[in-house]
Amino acid sequence: MYLASTDAVAKAKTKAGAEAEAGAEAGAEAESTEPKPKQRAKTRRGRVAGPVIALGAVSLVTDISSEMVTAVLPLYFVLQLGLSPLQFGFLDGLYNGVTAFVRLLGGYAADRGGRHKLVAGGGYALSALSRLGLLLAGGATAGIGAALAADRIGKGVRTAPRDALISLSSPPDALGRAFGVHRAMDTTGALLGPLAAFALLWATADAYDAVFVVSFCFGLLGVLMLVAFVPGRGDAPPTRASHTGTASHRGKVADLLRLPAFRRILGAASLLGAATIGDAFLYLLLQRRLDFAVSWFPLLPLGAAAVYLLLAVPAGRLADRTGRRVPFLAGHVALLGGYVLLLSPADGWALLIGVLLLLGIFYAATDGVLMALATPVLPQGRRASGMAVLQTGQALARLVAAAGFGAAWTLWGIGPALTCAALALTAALAGATALLPRRERQTQS
């Protein structure tokens, strides 16, 4: 429904590009007195820019590749390789948290000279090549860990530049919608990936190598689409970076942390991330509670992805209209509801549908909304770096959460571990409510 407006938006954006840059540099006074930006915002209302659609298409294809692997990893690790929950928790944390500092370097490299597309493309290519690493690793845990690390490094490198391109291509009052549309397209890939993995495992009698090969092909297609269809630069002028190396990078990160509103958003997101156990654990808990055939396991992410797909755009629009703080917190309340439901006596379809529904609501109300919440407080020339810092905080926090939950499950059992997770998330929600700014301020310098 958004494709029809892409060309018109791109033409309007090209025509008014130089004038918009001049207005941004002149300051808030010039923006308030110039009628053309208002006219442009009016014409773009309800529409999504062409680069956002192109990036959404790249993410759709890439997510097919990544979710094919993600859907079978818990089975591959726990059932075929015989890893303990503690070992799986470590690898799951590695899968999500090893790229913490790589995200910072990716964001810095993208801001330096405005090379958002180049840096993002390198990340997409590395993730695609990691699928071949899984093939070469065989059953060696060290080799699998290295391949997963390469995949997450690629994701860490590309995510902040990609989100920066989305924010730089969208008007401030439509950030939630833009991120919602991108996440909806991305989630379409998340729906198709597990389906493809399920079909391949069924057709090849559980040949995981076939899944890895097809996943690599989709990853390579995503790289080619990025090169062909995504513009090379965002709207913001490239920043002039000094040549003082890592020390300069540390200084730039410290400058971002001096922004009070951004610091509070970072603290809230990291606090909540430390109480967010991985999706794979929730799916394993469902499989053990319901005791269904393991061949159906790769289909579990489909339920949450379908809810996410349906609600991502409405959640983004709601966040644009009412403020992004409340939907972000409400999404974590939904996740807490999923924990409680797993602890309850509920069983059968009620448990399955309830947990997947709440997990989908959680992602729809938090993923893109968090980026839209942080965008207005970040300077345009530092957008990718700021988003990288925010994503790094979340990644490190979720690494702690995954390893901690895996250890608790191994030592105490499922029930006590999940109870601790629910209590931790309740406390984190209280802290995040106090931390998040109640007014969304804008810092565009």
Side-chain angles (χ1 to χ4, degrees):
M1 60 185 288
Y2 294 95
L3 293 175
S5 62
T6 302
D7 292 338
V9 174
K11 291 177 181 178
K13 186 175 177 181
T14 302
K15 182 178 178 180
E19 191 171 0
E21 291 295 340
E25 295 178 357
E29 294 83 358
E31 291 183 13
S32 63
T33 58
E34 185 183 2
K36 291 185 179 180
K38 293 182 180 180
Q39 295 173 1
R40 185 166 58 252
K42 184 175 180 180
T43 58
R44 293 177 66 173
R45 182 174 300 171
R47 301 180 179 182
V48 177
V52 177
I53 299 296
L55 286 165
V58 172
S59 293
L60 188 156
V61 173
T62 303
D63 224 42
I64 293 176
S65 170
S66 62
E67 291 301 323
M68 286 181 66
V69 174
T70 301
V72 302
L73 281 181
L75 292 177
Y76 189 57
F77 287 158
V78 177
L79 299 181
Q80 179 156 324
L81 300 183
L83 300 184
S84 69
L86 178 59
Q87 291 173 311
F88 175 71
F90 174 77
L91 284 176
D92 186 64
L94 177 71
Y95 192 71
N96 290 285
V98 73
T99 61
F101 298 105
V102 177
R103 294 173 187 264
L104 299 176
L105 295 175
Y108 172 71
D111 283 337
R112 183 175 181 174
R115 296 176 295 186
H116 298 86
K117 177 179 176 179
L118 178 63
V119 175
Y124 280 110
L126 182 58
S127 291
L129 292 174
S130 71
R131 312 293 187 250
L132 298 181
L134 288 172
L135 283 172
L136 297 175
T141 304
I144 293 172
L148 293 181
D151 176 54
R152 293 300 92 180
I153 289 172
K155 182 175 178 61
V157 166
R158 72 178 184 253
T159 302
R162 180 204 66 197
D163 284 349
L165 280 171
I166 294 171
S167 69
L168 293 169
S169 302
S170 307
D173 62 348
L175 286 168
R177 183 185 300 112
F179 279 105
V181 169
H182 174 270
R183 290 331 193 237
M185 297 181 71
D186 181 87
T187 307
T188 301
L191 277 168
L192 298 176
L195 280 175
F198 176 79
L200 282 170
L201 289 178
W202 179 79
T204 60
D206 296 338
Y208 290 92
D209 288 356
V211 175
F212 300 150
V213 170
V214 176
S215 173
F216 166 72
C217 294
F218 273 103
L220 184 60
L221 177 60
V223 175
L224 296 177
M225 291 175 63
L226 178 78
V227 172
F229 300 114
V230 176
R233 293 177 181 268
D235 290 341
T239 56
R240 293 179 62 86
S242 62
H243 298 279
T244 54
T246 306
S248 175
H249 185 205
R250 287 199 298 266
K252 291 178 180 297
V253 171
D255 289 342
L256 289 171
L257 295 179
R258 292 190 185 99
L259 299 173
F262 177 70
R263 189 168 60 243
R264 293 166 73 89
I265 293 171
L266 173 63
S270 300
L271 183 62
L272 290 167
T276 303
I277 64 177
D279 298 355
F281 277 121
L282 296 181
Y283 299 145
L284 284 172
L285 290 172
L286 279 174
Q287 196 276 331
R288 294 201 174 198
R289 280 283 303 273
L290 301 178
D291 195 27
F292 52 79
V294 296
S295 60
W296 295 99
F297 189 90
L299 296 181
L300 285 179
L302 294 180
V307 177
Y308 187 8
L309 175 62
L310 292 174
L311 296 182
V313 176
R317 287 177 173 172
L318 179 64
D320 286 337
R321 293 176 182 175
T322 65
R324 291 138 193 168
R325 177 178 180 271
V326 173
F328 181 69
L329 293 172
H332 286 86
V333 173
L335 180 63
L336 178 60
Y339 294 177
V340 172
L341 192 57
L342 282 167
L343 288 168
S344 73
D347 203 359
W349 285 104
L351 177 63
L352 178 65
I353 294 174
V355 171
L356 296 181
L357 176 64
L358 291 169
L359 187 60
I361 293 173
F362 161 67
Y363 279 113
T366 59
D367 189 11
V369 171
L370 176 60
M371 296 298 104
L373 177 65
T375 292
V377 304
L378 292 170
Q380 284 190 357
R382 307 289 301 285
R383 194 68 55 79
S385 296
M387 290 183 173
V389 171
L390 183 58
Q391 293 158 4
T392 296
Q394 275 195 314
L396 289 175
R398 290 181 177 179
L399 170 61
V400 172
F405 185 78
W409 184 349
T410 301
L411 296 175
W412 304 331
I414 297 175
L418 192 56
T419 300
C420 290
L423 293 174
L425 184 54
T426 302
L429 272 166
T433 301
L435 278 174
L436 283 176
R438 296 185 180 272
R439 292 184 179 181
E440 296 181 13
R441 293 174 293 177
Q442 187 165 340
T443 304
Q444 301 277 345
S445 58

